[in-house]
Amino acid sequence: LSLVALESQGHHVHCYKRIMSSTNVKRGKIILFGDSITQMSFSAADCGWGAWIADRYQRRADVLNRGFSGYNSDWFLKFAATDEGQADLFDHDNVKIVTVFFGANDASDLELNPRHHVPLDQYKSNMKEIASLARGNFGEDVNIIFIAPPPVCHDARLRFQKDKYKDKATGKLERTLELSGQYAKALTEVAKELELPCLDVWSKMQDSSSSTKPWQEYLSDGLHLSAAGNKFVGEALIDLIDDLLPELAVTPCTYTGNINSSSRSSISMRRIAPWHDEIDHSNPEKSFRNLSLE
């Protein structure tokens, strides 16, 4: 980019003349695909895990929430095949990371909830197709991260059912810990086959060495994430990126933990505009002359 001055009604107006590829100067994008656990990941009240990611990538990437409450992977793919779906899901450039977080609905019991149930083999096929669509639309180099469904707390699900349906509650579980575990295991197998990272929330939440609370406290109604659960997933996802995709990691200041000044760094996720502590207040224009450099 170069700075040019234009005359406008006797005043000097500064504007930027584009002389570089727009991809080099646009913010990166992180897109979150999933069901209600993703749709609600921007929740302020519940400290959504998507908001944790947006916070870490301040001034580096826009985080786009493409979660669809109540959807299974079949319905997501049906939507993706429409013109509206193509525009909403894939009409984005400079995408760096895509998360794929399905399974909570797919894993519903076939007899008790046939509406949401997706057969295990079909679920695995759907996960591969979503990954293929992401690569086909965002490029072969896009970083895809699978996220396995969380465990299911039976007692909390039954309480939720009774609170919602009162005397019409069946007392039967159409989502179970065992079923969600089968779909989590299936997703880790897909990830291994495709050589893609997978955050196995189902296993990690129940691993006492990874958790500071009983895993049941990570769920608000036995299925969806509580504020503590969102924090758990957000931190675990950031840790996974730091460990497996270090070029996309953002490193806070070693001394202060600050993430909004020049003391933070990232190899591939460039910041947009100079940090405030990089600007020479006596000659601020100097700091904006070449915005193509990190």
Side-chain angles (χ1 to χ4, degrees), residues 73 103 106-108 117-127 149 178-187 189-190:
S73 58
D106 301 63
S108 297
H117 173 79
V118 174
L120 199 58
D121 286 344
Q122 184 62 42
Y123 171 72
K124 294 174 72 172
S125 176
N126 289 349
M127 295 300 97
E178 180 183 2
L179 284 172
S180 59
Q182 291 174 11
Y183 283 69
K185 182 175 183 292
L187 186 61
E189 292 170 355
V190 170

Side-chain angles (χ1 to χ4, degrees), residues 106-135:
D106 301 63
S108 297
D109 184 272
L110 172 60
E111 293 185 4
L112 297 176
N113 187 2
R115 184 170 187 268
H116 284 114
H117 173 79
V118 174
L120 199 58
D121 286 344
Q122 184 62 42
Y123 171 72
K124 294 174 72 172
S125 176
N126 289 349
M127 295 300 97
K128 294 177 184 179
E129 185 172 351
I130 293 171
S132 178
L133 285 171
R135 283 175 166 158

Side-chain angles (χ1 to χ4, degrees), residues 187-235:
L187 186 61
T188 62
E189 292 170 355
V190 170
K192 184 177 181 180
E193 179 182 341
L194 299 182
E195 298 183 326
L196 293 174
C198 179
L199 175 58
D200 184 357
V201 174
W202 192 90
S203 297
K204 195 173 183 66
M205 272 191 176
Q206 297 179 82
D207 181 358
S208 59
S209 66
S210 300
S211 304
T212 58
K213 299 175 179 289
W215 67 265
Q216 295 86 347
E217 293 185 19
Y218 292 128
L219 305 169
S220 62
D221 57 4
L223 176 68
H224 298 94
L225 301 176
S226 63
N230 273 300
K231 182 176 185 288
F232 181 90
V233 171
E235 290 181 336

